[in-house]
Amino acid sequence: MTSLTTDQSATAEQVTADTLGTLLDAHLRRQFSDADRAELREQFRTQHLVPLRDFLSPELLDAMRAEAFGIMDGHGVQRDLVLEITDGTPRHMRTVGQPVIKDHGPLIHHFYFSPHTKDFMSGIVGEEVFTCPYAGEHYVISRLDRSGDTHGWHWDDYTYGFILVLEAPEYRDGGFIQGVPHTSWDKENPDVYGALLKSQVHSYHMNAGDAYIVKTDTTMHRVHPIRGEARRTIVNMTWVSAEDLTTPRTHETNDILFGGAGADPVAQK
């Protein structure tokens, strides 16, 4: 087993399930000062979505990309759907669900369960966060790689989303994130246009290695459609609040798009 101290740098080849936590902790300490974290916490409080620039160090990005791209290339399933539960918004994307990633993605798995990830997130959102009680929401991979591909307007079932951006287009080619904070999802009567009229849309361009945190239950959000030969690949992870742990939640859209916590019949065809 390779052993690294928090003062050491590493190559992508040295990033393993055993060393990931140490390397992540060292990078976060260098990249985000106490003042930086306080500023991010205030931005999150008002906008409910906050970019985390250069969240991944170059070696962590290279290692996570290699793992996620291999999983996507081997197991990705194309989804082309319109979901009435989010007011008829589209999903055009390739996806891989949690069970496949658990079997083939040790870095993603360890990143999700790392105490460094949890502590950083808790500090930004202003409350302790917890791993999601529904395994299908732990982590998923999605890719947009055809002109017009999009993850259309939606809310999520649990409180917090944490997204690692592994590759992203230049903003003129779309693929940037948009959020509408302080909105709510009525699954019986979803109203995307009403949410757009009631609150301001904030747009954020992300680069590879960036991440972002979203309060996904009260922030309607989407990925703007890409165009041309652009490509966007991300790992999406779900975290929950203490309230989520005591409140029944459903997870229809995760089951449709990513196969939930069980076998995905589409992926097995």
Side-chain angles (χ1 to χ4, degrees), residues 11-13 15-17 20 24 55-72 101 104-112 117 139 141 143 162-167 209 233-237:
T11 64
E13 291 74 19
V15 180
T16 67
L20 184 143
L24 178 63
F55 184 88
L56 292 177
S57 63
E59 66 273 8
L60 286 171
L61 173 61
D62 287 348
M64 295 288 279
R65 280 166 61 108
E67 179 173 282
F69 288 10
I71 294 171
M72 176 59 72
I101 301 169
H104 301 281
L107 296 183
I108 295 171
H109 179 82
H110 278 77
F111 181 96
Y112 181 75
T117 306
Y139 37 69
I141 306 171
R143 172 176 285 171
F162 186 95
I163 296 86
L164 292 176
V165 180
L166 302 183
E167 62 178 338
T233 303
I234 61 96
V235 178
N236 186 98
M237 292 163 278

Side-chain angles (χ1 to χ4, degrees), residues 9 55 70 83 91 115 123 148 180 201 206 209 213 219 235 244 249:
S9 59
F55 184 88
L83 297 186
R91 309 291 190 276
V180 186
V201 178
M206 303 287 171
I213 300 173
T219 304
V235 178
D244 286 327
R249 304 283 185 186

Side-chain angles (χ1 to χ4, degrees), residues 7 11 14 82 87 105 121 147 150 165 172 189 221 225 244 247:
D7 295 325
T11 64
Q14 289 176 289
V82 172
D87 203 8
M121 270 203 69
S147 188
T150 182
V165 180
R172 290 182 177 87
N189 184 30
H221 52 288
D244 286 327
T247 304

Side-chain angles (χ1 to χ4, degrees), residues 70-139:
I71 294 171
M72 176 59 72
D73 292 344
H75 302 276
V77 176
Q78 183 65 41
R79 314 284 186 176
D80 291 295
L81 304 166
V82 172
L83 297 186
E84 294 306 319
I85 199 169
T86 55
D87 203 8
T89 54
R91 309 291 190 276
H92 300 297
M93 55 205 292
R94 293 181 65 80
T95 70
V96 180
Q98 180 268 347
V100 172
I101 301 169
K102 184 177 180 181
D103 288 342
H104 301 281
L107 296 183
I108 295 171
H109 179 82
H110 278 77
F111 181 96
Y112 181 75
F113 286 100
S114 169
H116 305 299
T117 306
K118 174 179 176 174
D119 290 348
F120 186 90
M121 270 203 69
S122 297
I124 300 303
V125 306
E127 67 171 329
E128 184 178 5
V129 300
F130 304 89
T131 56
C132 186
Y134 179 61
E137 299 267 13
H138 285 169
Y139 37 69

Side-chain angles (χ1 to χ4, degrees), residues 202-214:
H202 299 273
S203 300
Y204 311 81
H205 174 251
M206 303 287 171
N207 293 309
D210 291 346
Y212 56 98
I213 300 173
V214 192

